[in-house]
Amino acid sequence: MTSQDNMSEEHLPEAHGAHGGELAVHGDAFADPGLPPHEHRRTDIDEHAAARAERQVAMWFLLSMVATIGFIASYVLFKPGPETGNTVYIFPLGHISRLNFSLGMTLGVSLFAIGAGAVHWARTLMSDEEHIAERHPIEATPEVREQVFADFRQGAKESGFGRRKLIRNTMIGAMAMVPLSAVVLFRDLGPLPEKKLDSTEWAKGKRLVNMNTNEPMKASDITVGSLTFAKPEGVEESDENFQEVIAKAAVMLVRMQPGDIKDKASAGWGYEGVLCYSKICTHVGCPISLYEQQTHHVLCPCHQSTFDLSDGGRVIFGPAGHPLPQLQISVNGDGYLEALGDFSKPVGPGFWERS
C-alpha cells in the first residue's frame, strides 16, 4: 500500500469560507470570482469632463473632414511625374512624388481620425458596464428578440448618439466626406474622350507618307493590286503621342482598275483608281492588314471582319457593324498624294454605340 492509500478523509484539507460546502459537494477547486465592482469613469460623474470628451471626439471628426479636403486639394494642385518641382525630399525615404506623399498622408490622416474619434467616443462616453448573458439555443425566442431590440435601443440611448448632436453631426460629416477621396480617384481611370474621337491628324493639304520608307508618296508609287500603309505628314514615331495619333490616323491605300470600283462616290474620293481607307477595323479597333487582290477584300485578322474596298469599304462578313471610313485624296502641284480633309466619319470600333 502507498502512503496515499493510508490517507483518510480526516487528513484532507477542509473547505473554508462561504462557498466551502459547494466546493466539497461539486469538487470545484476554483471559485467563480464574479464581476468586480463597476468603477465609474470621470466622464460618467462629471458633466464638464463629458462635454470636454465630446469636443475632443468632434475635433477628431473635424480633422478627418479637413484631411479629406486636403486630399482633394492635393490631387488638383500637385502634378504627377518626376519633373523638378513635383518631388519632395522626405528623410529617410529620399525624393518622392509630392503628389503621392500628399495623397497618402491626407487620406491616412482622414481614416485614422475617424477611427480615433470612434475609439475615444467608446472609451469615454459610451456605456462600459458589463452585462452577463447566459448561453441560450441558437434559435432566438420571441422574448430574446424583443430583448435584443430593447438592448439596442438602450445602447443607442446610452451612447448619446441622439443627445450629443455635436458628435453625431461631425461623425456623419466625416463619414460622408471620406468617400469623396475615392470619387476623385475615378478621374485617373482615363482621360475624358470629349470630341477627340471625332477627328484625326488628317487635314486638307497634308501629304500621305509611306509607313515603311517615311517618304511622301506619289500615285505612281502604288501599283494595281498592291496594299500600302501610310500616315499623315509630320507624324513621327519618336513623338510622345505617336501611338495615340496613329491609332486613329493610320490608313491603307489600294489601287485598282477604275472599272472595278463599284461605288462611284468612292471612286470620286480617290485619284486615278487609288483609294484611301482607314486601317482601323470598326469592330474592336484591330489593324487591318490582309488584302485579296482578285476580290479587293481586306480581312481583319482578329475576328475575320471582311470589307470590300471596291464598294466603299462595305462590311461583307464578320462582326463589324460599319464600313471603313474613306479619306478623300488628290495630288498637289508636285504630284504627291495629299488629303483633302479629315475622314467623313469617325474611325474606330463601335463609335456610334459608344457616343
Side-chain angles (χ1 to χ4, degrees), residues 164-187:
R164 301 186 184 278
K165 297 182 179 179
L166 180 60
I167 289 181
R168 181 187 63 195
N169 295 338
T170 52
M171 184 194 71
I172 292 175
M175 295 293 291
M177 291 186 67
V178 163
L180 294 179
S181 303
V183 173
V184 172
L185 293 180
F186 288 158
R187 180 64 181 82

Side-chain angles (χ1 to χ4, degrees), residues 75-93:
Y75 184 87
V76 174
L77 295 177
F78 299 136
K79 296 181 179 181
E83 293 82 3
T84 303
N86 294 343
T87 60
V88 61
Y89 181 80
I90 303 295
F91 179 83
L93 302 178

Side-chain angles (χ1 to χ4, degrees), residues 64-78 99-110 177-186 188:
S64 174
M65 287 188 279
V66 172
T68 300
I69 296 174
F71 179 94
I72 298 174
S74 299
Y75 184 87
V76 174
L77 295 177
F78 299 136
L99 175 62
N100 293 346
F101 177 75
S102 59
L103 291 182
M105 285 297 296
T106 52
L107 184 59
V109 170
S110 178
M177 291 186 67
V178 163
L180 294 179
S181 303
V183 173
V184 172
L185 293 180
F186 288 158
D188 274 345

Side-chain angles (χ1 to χ4, degrees), residues 6-312:
N6 294 327
M7 185 178 294
S8 60
E9 291 186 1
E10 60 267 25
H11 296 110
L12 294 175
E14 295 182 1
H16 298 282
H19 301 284
E22 295 181 6
L23 291 177
V25 174
H26 301 290
D28 188 357
F30 301 97
D32 183 2
L35 292 176
H38 177 69
E39 297 183 5
H40 292 284
R41 300 164 301 185
R42 184 174 182 181
T43 53
D44 295 332
I45 58 178
D46 187 348
E47 186 57 34
H48 292 289
R52 183 169 57 255
E54 180 180 4
R55 290 192 297 269
Q56 292 170 349
V57 173
M59 287 301 297
W60 279 113
F61 292 149
L62 288 173
L63 177 61
S64 174
M65 287 188 279
V66 172
T68 300
I69 296 174
F71 179 94
I72 298 174
S74 299
Y75 184 87
V76 174
L77 295 177
F78 299 136
K79 296 181 179 181
E83 293 82 3
T84 303
N86 294 343
T87 60
V88 61
Y89 181 80
I90 303 295
F91 179 83
L93 302 178
H95 288 89
I96 61 176
S97 170
R98 190 184 300 269
L99 175 62
N100 293 346
F101 177 75
S102 59
L103 291 182
M105 285 297 296
T106 52
L107 184 59
V109 170
S110 178
L111 296 176
F112 176 81
I114 289 180
V119 170
H120 192 52
W121 181 9
R123 292 179 63 87
T124 59
L125 296 174
M126 292 185 182
S127 175
D128 68 336
E129 294 186 14
E130 296 181 353
H131 300 276
I132 299 176
E134 300 293 340
R135 293 183 179 181
H136 54 79
I138 296 178
E139 182 181 1
T141 63
E143 294 78 9
V144 171
R145 288 196 294 270
E146 179 61 30
Q147 183 63 41
V148 169
F149 289 116
D151 291 343
F152 177 81
R153 291 190 292 268
Q154 180 66 21
K157 180 179 179 181
E158 293 178 351
S159 69
F161 187 81
R163 181 167 60 91
R164 301 186 184 278
K165 297 182 179 179
L166 180 60
I167 289 181
R168 181 187 63 195
N169 295 338
T170 52
M171 184 194 71
I172 292 175
M175 295 293 291
M177 291 186 67
V178 163
L180 294 179
S181 303
V183 173
V184 172
L185 293 180
F186 288 158
R187 180 64 181 82
D188 274 345
L189 292 179
L192 298 177
E194 299 174 348
K195 295 295 183 181
K196 297 177 182 178
L197 298 176
D198 292 335
S199 61
T200 69
E201 287 295 307
W202 291 108
K204 182 177 176 58
K206 278 203 171 185
R207 294 186 298 179
L208 281 72
V209 176
N210 191 300
M211 286 287 292
N212 295 323
T213 64
N214 209 35
E215 296 292 336
M217 302 174 61
K218 294 184 177 181
S220 59
D221 297 332
I222 305 173
T223 60
V224 175
S226 66
L227 186 70
T228 307
F229 303 121
K231 62 180 181 179
E233 182 180 21
V235 175
E236 303 294 339
E237 292 189 17
S238 58
D239 296 340
E240 182 178 357
N241 62 339
F242 172 77
Q243 295 298 336
E244 179 181 350
V245 171
I246 206 65
K248 296 185 297 180
V251 295
M252 52 186 175
L253 292 96
V254 62
R255 189 165 196 167
M256 60 187 73
Q257 297 294 342
D260 293 339
I261 303 177
K262 304 173 186 177
D263 190 323
K264 300 307 178 184
S266 178
W269 275 48
Y271 177 79
E272 296 182 354
V274 179
L275 305 178
C276 183
Y277 289 95
S278 170
K279 187 182 176 182
I280 309 304
C281 179
T282 57
H283 177 217
V284 293
C286 295
I288 299 173
S289 58
L290 304 177
Y291 177 60
E292 191 178 51
Q293 295 179 351
Q294 289 75 17
T295 60
H296 308 299
H297 296 167
V298 289
L299 176 70
C300 176
C302 291
H303 303 96
Q304 288 71 55
S305 293
T306 307
F307 306 86
D308 188 354
L309 299 186
S310 66
D311 194 12

